Amino acid sequence: SQELEQSPQSLIVQEGKNLTINCTSSKTLYGLYWYKQKYGEGLIFLMMLQKGGEEKSHEKITAKLDEKKQQSSLHITASQPSHAGIYLCGGRTNDYKLSFGAGTTVTVRA
Amino acid sequence: ETGVTQTPRHLVMGMTNKKSLKCEQHLGHNAMYWYKQSAKKPLELMFVYSLEERVENNSVPSRFSPECPNSSHLFLHLHTLQPEDSALYLCASSQAASGRGGRTDTQYFGPGTRLTVL
């Protein structure tokens, strides 16, 4: 089955600094989803990318999907305490089933 | 109430108990899902329902029994669970079921039920 690798597993960033999370698939992705999760709670949908080279932004969060549609990055600019949480990528391959990465835990220090 | 709701939010049960988890979606979606999230592991898809019909069962033990009486409600009946079944159980919904018709619909998640089996 398809596997999504997320890196790093966790990161600590100073408030106001930028951070980047990566998500890599061994297969071509036909839909790439980014979610945010507070510990012990549900997933909040952030963005979906479908086309190679696509880039979307919402407030200070930008997500990109590479041209080969096998790698995505999530970039947060000038991080704030509200950005703390677990970020998960989910991806669909040719069978359109949705698989998830293990998540990246983000800690923002004041 | 909006989005996807789940009850109870927390559940502690013994191995011989029978309990049920409830999920309700208010988004007018046709597909609903049960996921299991264990510590340090990716989300595991358990069941998929499309228009009240079960379309996927990912080799889940029979001690987990899903029920979908209509497109807005989904239950997960639990009996004779094991301690390793302790996890966060998440419900999700989407306009159409994944893997059907090539759709790439976004799944929206509920807050989850934290289950502890003693």
Side-chain angles (χ1 to χ4, degrees), chain A residues 6-57:
Chain A
Q6 276 188 247
S7 63
Q9 186 175 7
S10 63
L11 64 92
I12 301 171
V13 63
Q14 196 72 25
E15 183 176 356
K17 298 296 186 183
N18 303 336
L19 67 96
T20 299
I21 300 167
N22 294 299
C23 178
T24 303
S25 171
S26 56
K27 298 181 180 180
T28 300
L29 296 166
Y30 292 89
L32 187 287
Y33 304 77
W34 283 102
Y35 290 87
K36 180 185 175 184
Q37 183 180 29
K38 291 286 189 181
Y39 178 75
E41 299 183 7
L43 280 63
I44 299 169
F45 171 68
L46 297 175
M47 278 175 273
M48 182 188 81
L49 305 167
Q50 279 186 267
K51 301 176 183 176
E54 187 176 7
E55 179 176 322
K56 287 186 178 178
S57 292

Side-chain angles (χ1 to χ4, degrees), chain B residues 25 28-32 50-52 68-74 93:
Chain B
Q25 60 96 359
H29 288 165
N30 294 316
M32 297 186 78
S50 176
L51 295 171
E52 299 127 57
C68 189
N70 55 62
S71 60
S72 297
H73 293 85
L74 184 65
S93 72

Side-chain angles (χ1 to χ4, degrees), chain A residues 4 9 30-31 33 35 37 39-45 48 50 88 92 95-98 100-102 105, chain B residues 9 33 35 37 40-43 56 58 88 90 98-99 102-112 114:
Chain A
L4 286 176
Q9 186 175 7
Y30 292 89
Y33 304 77
Y35 290 87
Q37 183 180 29
Y39 178 75
E41 299 183 7
L43 280 63
I44 299 169
F45 171 68
M48 182 188 81
Q50 279 186 267
L88 294 100
R92 293 189 193 281
D95 62 1
Y96 294 96
K97 293 186 179 180
L98 187 62
F100 287 87
T105 301
Chain B
R9 294 293 311 276
Y33 311 79
Y35 286 89
Q37 187 178 37
K40 307 296 183 184
K41 292 175 67 176
L43 266 71
E56 189 162 336
N58 269 2
L88 182 67
L90 293 162
S98 60
R103 301 289 291 272
T104 54
D105 294 329
T106 299
Q107 293 183 19
Y108 294 89
F109 286 78
R114 171 67 62 184

Side-chain angles (χ1 to χ4, degrees), chain B residues 1-19:
Chain B
E1 198 75 67
T2 59
V4 181
T5 58
Q6 289 186 244
T7 54
R9 294 293 311 276
H10 301 273
L11 179 62
V12 179
M13 59 186 291
M15 293 169 61
T16 58
N17 291 157
K18 289 184 179 181
K19 297 286 185 183

Side-chain angles (χ1 to χ4, degrees), chain B residues 6-107:
Chain B
Q6 289 186 244
T7 54
R9 294 293 311 276
H10 301 273
L11 179 62
V12 179
M13 59 186 291
M15 293 169 61
T16 58
N17 291 157
K18 289 184 179 181
K19 297 286 185 183
S20 295
L21 309 185
K22 178 183 177 182
C23 175
E24 184 173 0
Q25 60 96 359
H26 309 267
L27 300 170
H29 288 165
N30 294 316
M32 297 186 78
Y33 311 79
W34 278 118
Y35 286 89
K36 177 183 178 181
Q37 187 178 37
S38 304
K40 307 296 183 184
K41 292 175 67 176
L43 266 71
E44 300 172 53
L45 179 64
M46 300 174 72
F47 301 103
V48 181
Y49 275 83
S50 176
L51 295 171
E52 299 127 57
E53 175 189 346
R54 189 190 311 178
V55 297
E56 189 162 336
N57 175 345
N58 269 2
S59 303
V60 179
S62 60
R63 56 186 184 270
F64 294 91
S65 174
E67 178 189 0
C68 189
N70 55 62
S71 60
S72 297
H73 293 85
L74 184 65
F75 295 89
L76 188 62
H77 303 299
L78 318 170
H79 66 97
T80 58
L81 294 191
Q82 304 298 312
E84 58 265 29
D85 296 322
S86 299
L88 182 67
Y89 288 84
L90 293 162
C91 172
S93 72
S94 66
Q95 186 59 48
S98 60
R100 293 173 77 81
R103 301 289 291 272
T104 54
D105 294 329
T106 299
Q107 293 183 19

